[in-house]
Structures are given as structure tokens and as C-alpha cells.
Amino acid sequence: MVSATARAEVILCAGAIGSPQLLELSGLGQAARLQGLGIAVAQDLPGVGENLQDHLQIRTVFKVHNTPTLNTQAHSLWGKAKIAMEYALRRSGPMSMAPSQLGAFTRSDPSQPYPNLEYHVQPLSLDAFGEPLHTFDAITASVCNLNPSSRGTVHITSPDFQATPAIAPHYLSTEEDRRIAAASLRTTRRILAQPALAKYQPEEVKPGAQYQSDAELAQLAGDIATTIFHPVGTTKMGCVGGAHDDPMAVVDTRLAVRGVAGLRVVDAGVMPRITSGNTNAPTLMIAEKAAQWITEDAQPQ
């Protein structure tokens, strides 16, 4: 066992999954839950591990014609060798590309006050991450609801620090999220049906053009969707004390854990609501602000 001490502050930056896990293992969390696991309660914080939010990407697949995609370009050893040689000689080609080659923001319906859908499009397709590429030319148009109303949880199930926490994202658990999922699939279909793409003769493979009702599309959205790896919210920032006290806030507006001296959480878990886009840059900004506050609070008064 290794013990470490801090003269000023401990800064917890284990992410929206790891930070609530470490807080609960340390006795900071929902009192009844911790007591049930035999963990002594250091501070009753009911918001720890709650409020989990993520961007769920619905991965639609369209077969295309009259253009090669990575599915067929990388299907053979010779194709893979050509891709490698192009990168080695010219620093171009598929090996030089970002994971997604096209991104776009739009509204699921005109009533939305601002774009609430984000697209990531790739010139490839597969059944699931880790599976081989399809043998036919196709693209994947992934679309996600940027402002989900569904909320999940992250909680430990054992006092053993090596045991993984239970992650329950509860995707598509609200009627609003299911409605937007169905609308996003229809939006994708409208985009692929535009005249500019007619020469590629796109054919819907997933979820399948035969599915048309809201109920069918919402169900299938869950079947073909995956995380986009944007978990946030499980150590929520909020007002602590006063007339506007938020009992579910884990950290205050300077990221200090409520009721605990010398401890801050600085990661995406402090976001009260998920951002309307990728979470990396906002997390960097959170860290910059935290650095400023830590420096200010360390100054002699």
C-alpha cells in the first residue's frame, strides 16, 4: 500500500466515470448506498454518481455505388499495401485522415432554437466496433442528439477498488429523446436523398428503409447506436448553501467538493448539463478555470 498526503489540496481528475467511483470508495456519496456496501460515510453527497449524460450516436449505414470506400479499398492485402505506400510516400490517403471526414450540425425540427443534432460521417461501415468492414462500398452517417434529457448513473458495487463500477446510461429513456431519435433518422434519410448524392445511388442498410413509424425508428435507434464517449455530469457543479442551494450538487461553483476541505473535482463530471457538441474543449476550459481558482485560493489572505 502506498499513502500520499497533500499540504494544500487534492485535485481529483478521474473523469465522469472514475471520479464518482473514487469519491464513493472514499466515503463520499449517498449515505445509504455506502453503508450498504460497508463503507464508512465521510460526507453524505446524494449527487455523486447521478446525472450521467452522454451523446448517443445512431450509426446509420448506406450502401453507395460509383465510388470506392474504405470497405473495398482495405478489403485485400494489396489494397492495404497501397494505402500504406501512399501514406509512406506522400503522407496522404486513408491513413492520414481523421476518424470522421465530415461533421455537421442541424436541427431535428424547425422548432428547435438552435442545432441539436451533430453528424459524424465516415467512408466505411461495419456491424460493430472491432468487427471487420463490410465487403460492399458504404458510408456511415452517425447522428447524435446534443441535448439529451435522459439521465443515467455511475455507482460502485463493491468496496474493492479493483471492481468496475456499474454504469447505467439510460439512453432514450425519455419520450423527448425517443422522438428526437426518430426525427434524426428521418433527417438523415432526407440528406441522403438529395440530388447532389443521386449519382452514388445510396441504399439504406441500417436501420432499413422498411421502418417508418416513430416507434420503430426509436427502437431501432437504440439497436444501432453506440456511445460517442462524452460522459459528463456525475459530480455536478451547483450552488452550495444559501437560498439557491442545490442538494444534488457535488461541487460548488469553484469545483470544491461540498463539506470536504481541500478537495476539488476537475473533469467533465462537473458539468451540470452536457455541452451542445464535443466535450473535449469544454473540459480543457474547465481545467484552465480550475487552475486559476487553485492559484487564487493558495495565495495568502
mmCIF file of all heavy atoms in Angstrom, residues 102-133:
data_model
loop_
_atom_site.group_PDB
_atom_site.id
_atom_site.type_symbol
_atom_site.label_atom_id
_atom_site.label_comp_id
_atom_site.label_asym_id
_atom_site.label_seq_id
_atom_site.Cartn_x
_atom_site.Cartn_y
_atom_site.Cartn_z
ATOM 1 N N LEU A 102 -16.339 14.131 -42.164
ATOM 2 C CA LEU A 102 -17.324 15.190 -42.322
ATOM 3 C C LEU A 102 -18.103 15.337 -41.023
ATOM 4 O O LEU A 102 -18.499 14.349 -40.400
ATOM 5 C CB LEU A 102 -18.274 14.854 -43.477
ATOM 6 C CG LEU A 102 -19.331 15.896 -43.864
ATOM 7 C CD1 LEU A 102 -19.659 15.781 -45.349
ATOM 8 C CD2 LEU A 102 -20.615 15.736 -43.053
ATOM 9 N N GLY A 103 -18.288 16.572 -40.602
ATOM 10 C CA GLY A 103 -19.116 16.856 -39.438
ATOM 11 C C GLY A 103 -20.110 17.941 -39.788
ATOM 12 O O GLY A 103 -19.825 18.814 -40.618
ATOM 13 N N ALA A 104 -21.280 17.881 -39.197
ATOM 14 C CA ALA A 104 -22.307 18.879 -39.492
ATOM 15 C C ALA A 104 -23.262 19.007 -38.315
ATOM 16 O O ALA A 104 -23.463 18.058 -37.554
ATOM 17 C CB ALA A 104 -23.086 18.490 -40.745
ATOM 18 N N PHE A 105 -23.815 20.203 -38.159
ATOM 19 C CA PHE A 105 -24.811 20.466 -37.128
ATOM 20 C C PHE A 105 -26.109 20.893 -37.798
ATOM 21 O O PHE A 105 -26.084 21.677 -38.761
ATOM 22 C CB PHE A 105 -24.338 21.579 -36.181
ATOM 23 C CG PHE A 105 -23.157 21.211 -35.339
ATOM 24 C CD1 PHE A 105 -21.867 21.340 -35.827
ATOM 25 C CD2 PHE A 105 -23.328 20.732 -34.041
ATOM 26 C CE1 PHE A 105 -20.764 20.999 -35.049
ATOM 27 C CE2 PHE A 105 -22.235 20.392 -33.265
ATOM 28 C CZ PHE A 105 -20.959 20.528 -33.760
ATOM 29 N N THR A 106 -27.233 20.407 -37.297
ATOM 30 C CA THR A 106 -28.526 20.802 -37.839
ATOM 31 C C THR A 106 -29.591 20.617 -36.773
ATOM 32 O O THR A 106 -29.309 20.150 -35.662
ATOM 33 C CB THR A 106 -28.877 19.985 -39.101
ATOM 34 O OG1 THR A 106 -30.031 20.552 -39.716
ATOM 35 C CG2 THR A 106 -29.152 18.528 -38.768
ATOM 36 N N ARG A 107 -30.826 20.976 -37.102
ATOM 37 C CA ARG A 107 -31.956 20.840 -36.181
ATOM 38 C C ARG A 107 -32.760 19.588 -36.520
ATOM 39 O O ARG A 107 -32.929 19.247 -37.686
ATOM 40 C CB ARG A 107 -32.870 22.064 -36.274
ATOM 41 C CG ARG A 107 -32.266 23.354 -35.748
ATOM 42 C CD ARG A 107 -33.154 24.537 -36.099
ATOM 43 N NE ARG A 107 -32.741 25.765 -35.423
ATOM 44 C CZ ARG A 107 -31.780 26.562 -35.847
ATOM 45 N NH1 ARG A 107 -31.110 26.250 -36.948
ATOM 46 N NH2 ARG A 107 -31.467 27.660 -35.170
ATOM 47 N N SER A 108 -33.279 18.938 -35.497
ATOM 48 C CA SER A 108 -34.144 17.788 -35.732
ATOM 49 C C SER A 108 -35.504 18.215 -36.251
ATOM 50 O O SER A 108 -36.195 17.446 -36.919
ATOM 51 C CB SER A 108 -34.302 16.970 -34.446
ATOM 52 O OG SER A 108 -34.866 17.764 -33.409
ATOM 53 N N ASP A 109 -35.915 19.444 -35.956
ATOM 54 C CA ASP A 109 -37.147 20.019 -36.495
ATOM 55 C C ASP A 109 -37.037 21.536 -36.380
ATOM 56 O O ASP A 109 -36.253 22.052 -35.578
ATOM 57 C CB ASP A 109 -38.380 19.486 -35.757
ATOM 58 C CG ASP A 109 -38.411 19.895 -34.308
ATOM 59 O OD1 ASP A 109 -38.805 21.046 -34.016
ATOM 60 O OD2 ASP A 109 -38.031 19.075 -33.440
ATOM 61 N N PRO A 110 -37.809 22.277 -37.176
ATOM 62 C CA PRO A 110 -37.672 23.742 -37.211
ATOM 63 C C PRO A 110 -37.958 24.440 -35.891
ATOM 64 O O PRO A 110 -37.536 25.582 -35.697
ATOM 65 C CB PRO A 110 -38.693 24.158 -38.283
ATOM 66 C CG PRO A 110 -38.884 22.951 -39.129
ATOM 67 C CD PRO A 110 -38.745 21.787 -38.190
ATOM 68 N N SER A 111 -38.654 23.774 -34.968
ATOM 69 C CA SER A 111 -38.993 24.416 -33.701
ATOM 70 C C SER A 111 -37.811 24.510 -32.738
ATOM 71 O O SER A 111 -37.864 25.234 -31.744
ATOM 72 C CB SER A 111 -40.134 23.661 -33.012
ATOM 73 O OG SER A 111 -39.691 22.387 -32.563
ATOM 74 N N GLN A 112 -36.725 23.771 -33.036
ATOM 75 C CA GLN A 112 -35.559 23.813 -32.153
ATOM 76 C C GLN A 112 -34.915 25.193 -32.201
ATOM 77 O O GLN A 112 -34.702 25.738 -33.288
ATOM 78 C CB GLN A 112 -34.538 22.744 -32.562
ATOM 79 C CG GLN A 112 -35.032 21.312 -32.441
ATOM 80 C CD GLN A 112 -35.260 20.903 -31.010
ATOM 81 O OE1 GLN A 112 -34.599 21.382 -30.084
ATOM 82 N NE2 GLN A 112 -36.223 20.015 -30.801
ATOM 83 N N PRO A 113 -34.564 25.780 -31.041
ATOM 84 C CA PRO A 113 -33.999 27.132 -31.042
ATOM 85 C C PRO A 113 -32.593 27.208 -31.631
ATOM 86 O O PRO A 113 -32.157 28.273 -32.072
ATOM 87 C CB PRO A 113 -33.993 27.510 -29.555
ATOM 88 C CG PRO A 113 -33.952 26.189 -28.830
ATOM 89 C CD PRO A 113 -34.759 25.249 -29.687
ATOM 90 N N TYR A 114 -31.886 26.101 -31.634
ATOM 91 C CA TYR A 114 -30.545 26.054 -32.217
ATOM 92 C C TYR A 114 -30.256 24.604 -32.615
ATOM 93 O O TYR A 114 -30.986 23.680 -32.213
ATOM 94 C CB TYR A 114 -29.491 26.569 -31.230
ATOM 95 C CG TYR A 114 -29.615 26.009 -29.832
ATOM 96 C CD1 TYR A 114 -29.136 24.745 -29.509
ATOM 97 C CD2 TYR A 114 -30.219 26.763 -28.825
ATOM 98 C CE1 TYR A 114 -29.254 24.233 -28.237
ATOM 99 C CE2 TYR A 114 -30.345 26.250 -27.542
ATOM 100 C CZ TYR A 114 -29.859 24.990 -27.253
ATOM 101 O OH TYR A 114 -29.994 24.482 -25.977
ATOM 102 N N PRO A 115 -29.211 24.357 -33.417
ATOM 103 C CA PRO A 115 -28.934 22.990 -33.866
ATOM 104 C C PRO A 115 -28.785 22.031 -32.680
ATOM 105 O O PRO A 115 -28.004 22.285 -31.764
ATOM 106 C CB PRO A 115 -27.628 23.128 -34.648
ATOM 107 C CG PRO A 115 -27.671 24.524 -35.172
ATOM 108 C CD PRO A 115 -28.305 25.338 -34.079
ATOM 109 N N ASN A 116 -29.520 20.942 -32.734
ATOM 110 C CA ASN A 116 -29.483 19.961 -31.646
ATOM 111 C C ASN A 116 -29.023 18.588 -32.118
ATOM 112 O O ASN A 116 -29.047 17.632 -31.351
ATOM 113 C CB ASN A 116 -30.865 19.842 -30.987
ATOM 114 C CG ASN A 116 -31.915 19.269 -31.927
ATOM 115 O OD1 ASN A 116 -31.903 19.541 -33.130
ATOM 116 N ND2 ASN A 116 -32.829 18.473 -31.387
ATOM 117 N N LEU A 117 -28.599 18.499 -33.384
ATOM 118 C CA LEU A 117 -28.053 17.252 -33.915
ATOM 119 C C LEU A 117 -26.643 17.487 -34.436
ATOM 120 O O LEU A 117 -26.354 18.534 -35.013
ATOM 121 C CB LEU A 117 -28.911 16.719 -35.072
ATOM 122 C CG LEU A 117 -30.370 16.375 -34.791
ATOM 123 C CD1 LEU A 117 -31.030 15.876 -36.069
ATOM 124 C CD2 LEU A 117 -30.497 15.345 -33.678
ATOM 125 N N GLU A 118 -25.777 16.508 -34.222
ATOM 126 C CA GLU A 118 -24.417 16.564 -34.774
ATOM 127 C C GLU A 118 -24.156 15.288 -35.566
ATOM 128 O O GLU A 118 -24.453 14.182 -35.100
ATOM 129 C CB GLU A 118 -23.369 16.699 -33.671
ATOM 130 C CG GLU A 118 -21.949 16.776 -34.205
ATOM 131 C CD GLU A 118 -20.900 16.940 -33.105
ATOM 132 O OE1 GLU A 118 -21.245 16.797 -31.916
ATOM 133 O OE2 GLU A 118 -19.731 17.216 -33.447
ATOM 134 N N TYR A 119 -23.583 15.450 -36.754
ATOM 135 C CA TYR A 119 -23.250 14.316 -37.620
ATOM 136 C C TYR A 119 -21.738 14.083 -37.640
ATOM 137 O O TYR A 119 -20.953 15.023 -37.666
ATOM 138 C CB TYR A 119 -23.719 14.577 -39.057
ATOM 139 C CG TYR A 119 -25.186 14.302 -39.278
ATOM 140 C CD1 TYR A 119 -26.125 15.316 -39.112
ATOM 141 C CD2 TYR A 119 -25.632 13.035 -39.648
ATOM 142 C CE1 TYR A 119 -27.476 15.067 -39.310
ATOM 143 C CE2 TYR A 119 -26.970 12.778 -39.847
ATOM 144 C CZ TYR A 119 -27.892 13.790 -39.677
ATOM 145 O OH TYR A 119 -29.224 13.544 -39.874
ATOM 146 N N HIS A 120 -21.381 12.808 -37.672
ATOM 147 C CA HIS A 120 -20.013 12.376 -37.974
ATOM 148 C C HIS A 120 -20.134 11.334 -39.085
ATOM 149 O O HIS A 120 -20.809 10.312 -38.913
ATOM 150 C CB HIS A 120 -19.333 11.739 -36.757
ATOM 151 C CG HIS A 120 -19.127 12.687 -35.612
ATOM 152 N ND1 HIS A 120 -20.081 12.917 -34.652
ATOM 153 C CD2 HIS A 120 -18.067 13.459 -35.285
ATOM 154 C CE1 HIS A 120 -19.619 13.795 -33.774
ATOM 155 N NE2 HIS A 120 -18.399 14.142 -34.132
ATOM 156 N N VAL A 121 -19.490 11.597 -40.219
ATOM 157 C CA VAL A 121 -19.647 10.728 -41.386
ATOM 158 C C VAL A 121 -18.297 10.129 -41.756
ATOM 159 O O VAL A 121 -17.284 10.830 -41.806
ATOM 160 C CB VAL A 121 -20.231 11.511 -42.580
ATOM 161 C CG1 VAL A 121 -20.477 10.581 -43.767
ATOM 162 C CG2 VAL A 121 -21.540 12.193 -42.178
ATOM 163 N N GLN A 122 -18.305 8.808 -42.007
ATOM 164 C CA GLN A 122 -17.078 8.100 -42.370
ATOM 165 C C GLN A 122 -17.284 7.310 -43.666
ATOM 166 O O GLN A 122 -18.376 6.775 -43.891
ATOM 167 C CB GLN A 122 -16.655 7.114 -41.266
ATOM 168 C CG GLN A 122 -16.449 7.726 -39.899
ATOM 169 C CD GLN A 122 -17.690 7.670 -39.031
ATOM 170 O OE1 GLN A 122 -18.558 6.830 -39.207
ATOM 171 N NE2 GLN A 122 -17.780 8.588 -38.086
ATOM 172 N N PRO A 123 -16.246 7.198 -44.513
ATOM 173 C CA PRO A 123 -16.363 6.438 -45.763
ATOM 174 C C PRO A 123 -16.102 4.946 -45.541
ATOM 175 O O PRO A 123 -15.263 4.322 -46.203
ATOM 176 C CB PRO A 123 -15.278 7.076 -46.642
ATOM 177 C CG PRO A 123 -14.210 7.446 -45.658
ATOM 178 C CD PRO A 123 -14.934 7.873 -44.420
ATOM 179 N N LEU A 124 -16.824 4.360 -44.614
ATOM 180 C CA LEU A 124 -16.666 2.946 -44.260
ATOM 181 C C LEU A 124 -17.902 2.508 -43.499
ATOM 182 O O LEU A 124 -18.721 3.329 -43.088
ATOM 183 C CB LEU A 124 -15.401 2.734 -43.413
ATOM 184 C CG LEU A 124 -15.271 3.573 -42.133
ATOM 185 C CD1 LEU A 124 -16.007 2.956 -40.943
ATOM 186 C CD2 LEU A 124 -13.816 3.793 -41.768
ATOM 187 N N SER A 125 -18.016 1.208 -43.264
ATOM 188 C CA SER A 125 -19.124 0.700 -42.458
ATOM 189 C C SER A 125 -18.752 -0.656 -41.888
ATOM 190 O O SER A 125 -17.938 -1.389 -42.458
ATOM 191 C CB SER A 125 -20.408 0.592 -43.294
ATOM 192 O OG SER A 125 -20.258 -0.386 -44.310
ATOM 193 N N LEU A 126 -19.363 -0.992 -40.772
ATOM 194 C CA LEU A 126 -19.151 -2.284 -40.120
ATOM 195 C C LEU A 126 -20.341 -2.555 -39.204
ATOM 196 O O LEU A 126 -21.128 -1.666 -38.909
ATOM 197 C CB LEU A 126 -17.830 -2.301 -39.345
ATOM 198 C CG LEU A 126 -17.384 -1.026 -38.589
ATOM 199 C CD1 LEU A 126 -18.177 -0.818 -37.321
ATOM 200 C CD2 LEU A 126 -15.899 -1.099 -38.265
ATOM 201 N N ASP A 127 -20.454 -3.796 -38.765
ATOM 202 C CA ASP A 127 -21.590 -4.153 -37.903
ATOM 203 C C ASP A 127 -21.448 -3.580 -36.507
ATOM 204 O O ASP A 127 -22.425 -3.163 -35.890
ATOM 205 C CB ASP A 127 -21.740 -5.674 -37.829
ATOM 206 C CG ASP A 127 -22.278 -6.255 -39.133
ATOM 207 O OD1 ASP A 127 -23.037 -5.545 -39.828
ATOM 208 O OD2 ASP A 127 -21.938 -7.406 -39.456
ATOM 209 N N ALA A 128 -20.213 -3.569 -35.990
ATOM 210 C CA ALA A 128 -19.957 -3.047 -34.646
ATOM 211 C C ALA A 128 -18.473 -2.771 -34.522
ATOM 212 O O ALA A 128 -17.656 -3.315 -35.285
ATOM 213 C CB ALA A 128 -20.393 -4.050 -33.582
ATOM 214 N N PHE A 129 -18.101 -1.886 -33.564
ATOM 215 C CA PHE A 129 -16.686 -1.600 -33.346
ATOM 216 C C PHE A 129 -15.927 -2.900 -33.096
ATOM 217 O O PHE A 129 -16.348 -3.740 -32.301
ATOM 218 C CB PHE A 129 -16.506 -0.664 -32.162
ATOM 219 C CG PHE A 129 -16.998 0.730 -32.414
ATOM 220 C CD1 PHE A 129 -17.820 1.363 -31.497
ATOM 221 C CD2 PHE A 129 -16.646 1.425 -33.556
ATOM 222 C CE1 PHE A 129 -18.279 2.656 -31.712
ATOM 223 C CE2 PHE A 129 -17.096 2.711 -33.795
ATOM 224 C CZ PHE A 129 -17.911 3.323 -32.874
ATOM 225 N N GLY A 130 -14.791 -3.059 -33.788
ATOM 226 C CA GLY A 130 -13.999 -4.274 -33.631
ATOM 227 C C GLY A 130 -14.322 -5.344 -34.654
ATOM 228 O O GLY A 130 -13.549 -6.288 -34.828
ATOM 229 N N GLU A 131 -15.469 -5.196 -35.345
ATOM 230 C CA GLU A 131 -15.847 -6.148 -36.384
ATOM 231 C C GLU A 131 -15.204 -5.744 -37.713
ATOM 232 O O GLU A 131 -14.826 -4.587 -37.909
ATOM 233 C CB GLU A 131 -17.370 -6.189 -36.534
ATOM 234 C CG GLU A 131 -18.118 -6.692 -35.305
ATOM 235 C CD GLU A 131 -17.824 -8.146 -35.027
ATOM 236 O OE1 GLU A 131 -17.763 -8.933 -36.004
ATOM 237 O OE2 GLU A 131 -17.643 -8.491 -33.845
ATOM 238 N N PRO A 132 -15.068 -6.694 -38.654
ATOM 239 C CA PRO A 132 -14.474 -6.330 -39.954
ATOM 240 C C PRO A 132 -15.369 -5.401 -40.753
ATOM 241 O O PRO A 132 -16.594 -5.341 -40.542
ATOM 242 C CB PRO A 132 -14.316 -7.690 -40.648
ATOM 243 C CG PRO A 132 -15.305 -8.591 -39.984
ATOM 244 C CD PRO A 132 -15.376 -8.130 -38.555
ATOM 245 N N LEU A 133 -14.762 -4.651 -41.663
ATOM 246 C CA LEU A 133 -15.527 -3.773 -42.549
ATOM 247 C C LEU A 133 -16.420 -4.610 -43.458
ATOM 248 O O LEU A 133 -16.108 -5.762 -43.783
ATOM 249 C CB LEU A 133 -14.578 -2.931 -43.396
ATOM 250 C CG LEU A 133 -13.660 -1.954 -42.657
ATOM 251 C CD1 LEU A 133 -12.716 -1.270 -43.641
ATOM 252 C CD2 LEU A 133 -14.455 -0.926 -41.880
#
